Amino acid sequence: MADVLVLGGGFGGLAAVHELRRLLPADDTVTVIASRDTFFVGFAKLWELSGVRPLADGTRSLSALERHGIRFVQADITAIDAAARRAETSAGTFTVDAMVIALGAGYQPKHTAMLGAHAHNLYDATALPGIKADLDALTTGTLLVSILGAPYLCPPAPFEAALLLDEWLRANGRRDQVDVVVSTPQPLTLPVAGPDASRFLAERLTERDVTVLTEHPLESIDHGAGVARFSDDRTREFGLMLGVPAAAPPPVVAASDVAAESGWITPDRQTFATRAERVYAVGDCTMVPTATAQLPKAGVFAEAEGRIAAANLAAELHGGDRVAFDGNGYCFLELPGHRVAKVVGNFYAEPKPDVRLTPPDEAAFAAKQRWEQERLAAWLG
Ligand SMILES: Cc1cc2nc3c(=O)[nH]c(=O)nc-3n(C[C@H](O)[C@H](O)[C@H](O)COP(=O)(O)OP(=O)(O)OC[C@H]3O[C@@H](n4cnc5c(N)ncnc54)[C@H](O)[C@@H]3O)c2cc1C
């Protein structure tokens, strides 16, 4: 009998616990620990903001895991000793036979420290009420969506936010009075997807009169005046700013004995094993190299990695086939008019990721909706 512990109940953790439960004998225990007792997909926040659907409708409770034979403990994880397969938490110490670390990513503190007043963190669900209040009040001026650093979660999401809010402003008869601007410190809109996809996205933004500022690292914000100051003394006034901080490893991960010097965990990119025996790491808390950069921090990849880590862990404990991640995956790119394109391909290809963009259509939007519903039902139904 083995006790298996999964740290984190997001995309990677939920995929891992279900695969473990499916593969392990019934007398092995599977436990997941997470600080939040709910799950929703990241893009549901943008749907709430742009009036597509309330976030609550896409939120499920992790307590539903008990129905699947998976124990859920809501607690803060305060220390990880991977060599000893031990986690210290606000609900006590857990020492187990095998572990999967799936704790997601936090935000660069220097970026979150810049935000405040009418400059919000676009990715923080708790900021949604403040963003919505400021959106309601925004009748003239500029809506600035600003990427503050890289890597950040879900590379297309800030641009999707600009496009979905452009649509919302048009529907509310305000777009003639409100400029929409999106800034990024990077030279392209979507470097991870290559120049063609980046050009496609820049054209979609431009045709909606969204101004795209590339190579614009934000240096400071004057909250009183509502001015964003970029490098080389370039400035933009804004009435509402939605900032996207760069991702940072969670402090408990960075302080653990499996983190690299960067603070991220760098597991084997095929099996997701770490250097600690019977300890795996998946999802946004990892840094997985590709030929040109890193795997995007996206739920699609965290889920695939969670399944693969679980299968390899089950094989380590009880025998069976090992599996390897081949680098195939995709990112959704949501456009106005309920249309979705996909950046799809092999992100491990050499000498550069072999990815292409599928043309946007409404069928892909419906597929994205189904994608969410299938996961909510299978994991937390
Ligand atoms: C606006 C937005 C749109 C997005 N759109 C997409 C999309 O279209 N497609 C896509 O693939 N991805 C998308 N993403 C990205 C996606 O949400 C993340 O990449 C994904 O959630 C990563 O999964 P994860 O399991 O690694 O981490 P998470 O899902 O973040 O889960 C981390 C878990 O760890 C827990 N945790 C963290 N620290 C502690 C601690 N100290 N103690 C206890 N528990 C802890 C958390 O409570 C949570 O349960 C989007 C993200 C955002 C913000």
Side-chain angles (χ1 to χ4, degrees):
M1 189 193 126
D3 294 322
V4 181
L5 181 62
V6 175
L7 305 181
F11 267 95
L14 289 174
V17 284
H18 280 280
E19 191 69 352
L20 285 163
R21 193 61 289 167
R22 192 176 75 78
L23 294 171
L24 294 177
D27 58 353
D28 283 1
T29 68
V30 179
T31 302
V32 59
I33 304 180
S35 48
R36 279 197 317 264
D37 65 347
T38 53
F39 172 79
F40 47 80
V41 306
F43 55 69
K45 293 178 222 171
L46 302 187
W47 284 354
E48 154 106 27
L49 264 191
S50 54
V52 174
R53 196 200 61 192
L55 183 60
D57 290 3
T59 302
R60 298 289 181 276
S61 167
L62 294 189
S63 58
L65 288 168
E66 306 283 347
R67 288 200 285 275
H68 299 262
I70 297 160
R71 182 179 170 215
F72 167 55
V73 178
Q74 185 178 2
D76 290 324
I77 298 153
T78 51
I80 301 167
D81 181 343
R85 288 184 295 280
R86 190 165 57 230
E88 308 285 347
T89 82
S90 54
T93 300
F94 293 73
T95 306
V96 292
D97 299 295
M99 199 152 84
V100 179
I101 304 172
L103 287 172
Y107 306 114
Q108 279 290 345
K110 70 173 185 215
H111 291 157
T112 47
M114 271 201 250
L115 301 174
H118 302 298
H120 304 268
N121 180 347
L122 172 65
Y123 279 14
D124 179 0
T126 64
L128 285 174
I131 298 176
K132 289 179 75 170
D134 279 355
L135 258 181
D136 283 340
L138 188 72
T139 49
T140 58
T142 298
L143 166 64
L144 172 64
V145 179
S146 187
I147 297 165
L148 306 181
Y152 60 92
L153 269 53
C154 191
F159 303 100
E160 295 177 315
L163 287 166
L164 294 177
L165 291 175
D166 155 76
E167 197 171 30
W168 182 87
L169 288 164
R170 284 172 197 263
N172 284 277
R174 299 198 214 156
R175 187 59 170 96
D176 288 343
Q177 292 82 47
V178 177
D179 289 330
V180 182
V181 178
V182 58
S183 74
T184 171
Q186 299 182 297
L188 304 171
T189 52
L190 284 180
V192 70
D196 291 344
S198 292
R199 195 172 317 112
F200 171 86
L201 176 55
E203 284 167 7
R204 300 294 75 74
L205 290 155
T206 307
E207 76 188 11
R208 302 287 291 197
D209 286 329
V210 175
T211 305
V212 182
L213 305 175
T214 53
E215 299 189 278
H216 268 65
L218 186 83
E219 295 195 331
S220 62
I221 301 171
D222 180 338
H223 291 285
V227 174
R229 185 170 300 280
F230 300 95
S231 63
D232 300 326
D233 277 335
R234 295 168 294 179
T235 56
R236 280 274 162 168
E237 286 185 13
F238 66 85
L240 169 60
M241 179 176 150
L242 303 176
V244 176
V252 69
V253 167
S256 76
D257 53 344
V258 273
E261 212 172 305
S262 62
W264 301 102
I265 305 175
T266 51
D268 180 283
R269 70 177 201 157
Q270 279 161 344
T271 64
F272 299 97
T274 69
R275 58 174 181 258
E277 206 183 342
R278 297 200 299 281
V279 177
Y280 288 72
V282 301
D284 286 357
C285 66
T286 67
M287 190 60 83
V288 176
T290 65
T292 51
Q294 301 97 26
L295 270 189
K297 294 196 178 297
V300 167
F301 290 102
E303 175 186 348
E305 295 168 15
R307 284 221 184 88
I308 283 172
N312 288 322
L313 194 47
E316 254 195 89
L317 289 170
H318 297 289
D321 292 338
R322 311 268 171 142
V323 287
F325 184 51
D326 58 9
N328 280 299
Y330 55 89
C331 293
F332 294 116
L333 173 56
E334 189 166 334
L335 298 165
H338 289 172
R339 291 173 313 131
V340 164
K342 264 165 123 182
V343 178
V344 58
N346 189 335
F347 287 74
Y348 281 175
E350 301 281 347
K352 60 182 174 56
D354 179 17
V355 294
R356 66 194 165 80
L357 190 81
T358 65
D361 59 25
E362 289 174 15
F365 178 73
K368 177 175 171 175
Q369 289 175 305
R370 275 198 309 280
W371 183 87
E372 180 211 32
Q373 290 303 316
E374 282 164 9
R375 277 149 187 80
L376 295 179
W379 289 343
L380 299 168

